[in-house]
Amino acid sequence: MTQQRQAIAQLEQALQSSRAQIAAQADQAQAIASLKQAHADLQQQYKLQGDRLRALEAQTHQATGVASIGEFYLNRWRKY
């Protein structure tokens, strides 16, 4: 009987250990999924910021062109 109780106790301990490992693996899987989602979100933000930067650069180039035309006419007007 004592050997059976010891065997049962060992099996119960092994079962608890297995459950703890499964729980830890589930936590790791959730953490990995969370990190993957955060990575995807960051990639999306990076893309949006890049698009916005390109649009702002285009506006800057356009404004620079308009400013140079205005400066040209201002300098021309100053001559008179």
Side-chain angles (χ1 to χ4, degrees):
M1 283 300 259
T2 306
Q3 288 179 344
Q4 288 177 343
R5 287 185 184 171
Q6 287 178 348
I8 290 172
Q10 287 176 348
L11 288 173
E12 286 177 349
Q13 190 175 22
L15 180 62
Q16 288 176 354
S17 176
S18 294
R19 284 181 179 162
Q21 286 177 350
I22 290 170
Q25 288 174 349
D27 290 343
Q28 287 177 347
Q30 288 176 345
I32 289 170
S34 176
L35 288 173
K36 285 182 179 181
Q37 183 61 44
H39 181 260
D41 292 344
L42 286 173
Q43 282 183 323
Q44 182 65 23
Q45 287 178 357
Y46 178 75
K47 182 186 178 308
L48 291 173
Q49 287 177 352
D51 292 346
R52 184 169 184 217
L53 180 61
R54 283 185 282 285
L56 289 172
E57 285 175 341
Q59 288 177 357
T60 301
H61 290 302
Q62 184 180 12
T64 302
V66 170
S68 66
I69 292 170
E71 187 176 350
F72 170 78
Y73 283 108
L74 179 63
N75 289 335
R76 192 170 151 191
W77 175 75
R78 285 182 183 167
K79 289 180 184 178
Y80 296 112

